[in-house]
Amino acid sequence: MQFFLNGVLTKVDDLDPNTSLLRYLRTRAKLKGTKEGCGSGDCGACTLLVGQAVETQGKTRIRFRSVNACIALLASVHNRYVITVEGLAKDKLHPAQQAMLDCHGSQCGFCTPGFVMSLAGLYDRQKQNTESNEDTGSALSEAISGNLCRCTGDRPILQAGQEMLNHDYPGLVSESELNQYLEMLSGPTESLASLIEQQDRKIYQPADETELQRLILEHQDAELLCGGTDLVLGITQNFKQHSCLIDVSRVTELLGTSEDEDHLYIGASTPYIDLWPSFSEKSPDFLKLLHRLGSQQIRNRGSIGGNIANGSPIADTPPVLLAWDAEVERVTAAGGKRDWIAISDLYLDYKKTLIGAGQYIARIRIPLQSMQHPHRFYKVSKRFEDDISSVMAAISVRFDELEPDRIADIRIAFGGMAAIPKRALAAESALRGSRIATDDMEAALQTCSAAIAEEFKPMTDVRASAAYRLQLAQNLIRRLVDELGSKQSLDVFSVGAVKHYQPGNLEQGGQTNA
């Protein structure tokens, strides 16, 4: 494999597919500025920038995004441009580095390289204006949301982030470095296939579905890999070693979004960060939920297809897709047969889905009409950002056209309440036909709460007790009704409110700060 590392063409012939980018940098490249912290993509101490060539206004440039090196496999940067903290300074310090010095943002120093790299990525995006979803007011806190400081707080770091934008910098990549990188890309671009010396371990990186299907058939023991934000945890936390991996993150047909008259289509390998243009008008609510899905480093690599296929009962996007009546496109490699499966039918049991051996998810299909109905997404977690849900609720409501206060239809889906993401069918029936802010609504809510208690038997774990989860789910339905009754606009997004409702106390629930 080959890639550019701080301006230097780097080739690795003896590649172990289980090697993380962090491990390579620290042990073989001897670049110790990228720190090893949690090993799970939570602390951000290993943050660096990974770039790829893109066309912008008729010119080719390199678009950089922040990545957690600890859960990014080395093979994932094949033909990419990697910059670590050692590669930032050219003739002078990068504005992020200089501002951290001027504002005394270094503190103990362990976290500093990760913060600097996140800030440098933000600086590049702001100066190049390459991410349409960002504005200067909120982008700073967003950029460092995945970097945890263990010392005295983030105030001087936030100050440094503001200060750096007042400084000029020639760019992360010089003209000559860009030309050398493009020259590398113009050479042979065969799919990545590497072997460990004397061991049969392989990783493949198909470019299209034809090649993907061929590889799946030839390597029936292979595991599919996309962003790796979950799969690689098995390597870093449980020391698992994979004998064969197929990286689907570059399969052309699995990337991007499109739509027809009735549906929005999302390629299964599309990173979360690339969903902003498609949802900015259709569902700002969903984008605000994505802001709470991991950190920016995670969203730069993680994909909605991976979130679905992983089968986790606490994944954030499946409840939303259940509320929207979405479908997934299942492809069988043998023969290339395609069929659409309702997301409500996809999950069989804990970590088990209808995606079997020799099959993969190609696209997600969401009815445009379902996104036009009022909807709310409530995520409750111990931390506001970069955390897994204790309970995730997604609710879509359709009101009667003749009686605007009557619920004609409602879809309620929960994550964290069962072994799979699951709709609350009996609870929906209890509320269907009810009128908001009327005497019969309380009776409907009582029936709804009883139905939730009957339908769901949540578990107790480190995130929440079963009793808390159950009461929370019941209270979130009451919260929705309360907001409707007080005529709060459903355009006001509620997932941004950091509220943890205590059992039996909806109106005066406890509140925590991230």
Side-chain angles (χ1 to χ4, degrees), residues 89-368:
K90 302 292 185 182
D91 297 329
K92 61 179 182 179
L93 292 178
H94 186 278
Q97 294 172 310
Q98 188 63 56
M100 286 286 277
L101 285 173
D102 295 341
C103 299
H104 307 287
S106 63
Q107 302 182 65
C108 83
F110 186 86
C111 309
T112 305
F115 273 103
V116 166
M117 296 309 296
S118 291
L119 292 175
L122 171 64
Y123 182 92
D124 187 62
R125 292 192 300 275
Q126 290 285 312
K127 294 298 182 179
Q128 300 293 335
N129 191 29
T130 60
E131 301 290 357
S132 60
N133 61 289
E134 290 191 321
D135 61 83
T136 305
S138 61
L140 177 54
S141 59
E142 178 86 1
I144 62 172
S145 63
N147 296 84
L148 303 185
C149 172
R150 300 157 184 80
C151 299
T152 59
D154 291 347
R155 185 198 57 77
I157 299 173
L158 290 168
Q159 184 180 354
Q162 295 285 353
E163 176 64 24
M164 73 174 181
L165 296 175
N166 297 324
H167 297 276
D168 293 327
Y169 186 67
L172 292 172
V173 177
S174 67
E175 193 70 27
S176 62
E177 290 170 337
L178 174 61
N179 290 334
Q180 292 175 43
Y181 176 62
L182 296 179
E183 183 179 350
M184 178 194 76
L185 295 181
S186 65
T189 57
E190 294 181 1
S191 298
L192 180 65
S194 302
L195 292 171
I196 297 184
E197 189 176 354
Q198 298 179 345
Q199 294 187 43
D200 188 19
R201 294 181 182 171
K202 308 173 185 178
I203 186 166
Y204 298 93
Q205 222 169 55
D208 55 44
E209 280 196 273
T210 300
E211 190 176 6
L212 170 60
Q213 292 168 13
R214 176 181 62 80
L215 288 170
I216 290 176
L217 293 175
E218 291 178 359
H219 304 277
Q220 297 184 16
D221 62 333
E223 294 186 67
L224 300 187
L225 162 76
C226 191
T229 56
D230 186 79
L231 183 142
V232 181
L233 292 178
I235 298 174
T236 63
Q237 305 298 301
N238 299 325
F239 308 106
K240 183 176 182 180
Q241 297 291 288
H242 300 276
S243 60
C244 186
L245 292 169
I246 300 177
D247 181 357
V248 301
S249 64
R250 305 191 192 187
V251 177
T252 304
E253 297 91 335
L254 272 58
L255 293 170
T257 62
S258 63
E259 61 181 271
D260 56 24
E261 293 183 358
D262 300 316
H263 296 92
L264 171 67
Y265 297 86
I266 303 174
S269 295
T270 307
Y272 294 117
I273 196 68
D274 289 333
L275 297 182
W276 257 258
S278 296
F279 286 95
S280 58
E281 294 183 359
K282 293 181 178 65
S283 178
D285 299 8
F286 182 59
L287 294 188
K288 292 180 181 179
L289 174 64
L290 288 185
H291 277 286
R292 295 190 59 192
L293 198 158
S295 62
Q296 189 168 87
Q297 291 95 319
I298 297 297
R299 294 189 293 273
N300 285 339
R301 290 189 59 79
S303 68
I304 192 169
N307 204 226
I308 295 169
N310 184 38
S312 171
I314 50 176
D316 287 335
T317 60
V320 174
L321 298 175
L322 283 168
W324 277 342
D325 200 21
E327 299 170 295
V328 298
E329 185 181 34
R330 179 179 61 181
V331 181
T332 303
K337 178 185 175 183
R338 299 172 182 271
D339 58 345
W340 289 97
I341 302 173
I343 192 79
S344 56
D345 297 329
L346 181 67
Y347 297 99
L348 303 176
D349 202 348
Y350 179 73
K351 292 280 188 175
K352 293 183 179 180
T353 71
L354 286 174
I355 309 301
Q359 299 177 323
Y360 61 92
I361 298 175
R363 292 181 295 172
I364 296 90
R365 181 168 71 181
I366 306 174
L368 293 174

Side-chain angles (χ1 to χ4, degrees), residues 344-450:
S344 56
D345 297 329
L346 181 67
Y347 297 99
L348 303 176
D349 202 348
Y350 179 73
K351 292 280 188 175
K352 293 183 179 180
T353 71
L354 286 174
I355 309 301
Q359 299 177 323
Y360 61 92
I361 298 175
R363 292 181 295 172
I364 296 90
R365 181 168 71 181
I366 306 174
L368 293 174
Q369 187 177 20
S370 66
M371 288 187 284
Q372 296 171 2
H373 299 314
H375 49 267
R376 283 279 177 99
F377 308 135
Y378 301 106
K379 175 175 178 174
V380 179
S381 55
K382 291 187 174 182
R383 288 192 314 225
F384 181 72
E385 294 174 314
D386 200 10
D387 200 5
I388 296 172
S389 300
S390 297
V391 171
M392 171 68 199
I395 309 168
S396 176
V397 182
R398 180 171 63 84
F399 290 100
D400 192 292
E401 294 182 1
L402 299 179
E403 300 179 81
D405 65 339
R406 186 182 297 278
I407 298 176
D409 195 16
I410 185 168
R411 296 176 70 91
I412 303 170
F414 288 113
M417 291 288 291
I420 61 173
K422 183 179 176 182
R423 277 182 62 188
L425 298 176
E428 293 172 0
S429 296
L431 295 177
R432 196 172 290 118
S434 300
R435 298 179 63 182
I436 299 295
T438 60
D439 293 339
D440 68 336
M441 178 52 71
E442 180 56 34
L445 284 172
Q446 293 289 345
T447 304
C448 176
S449 294

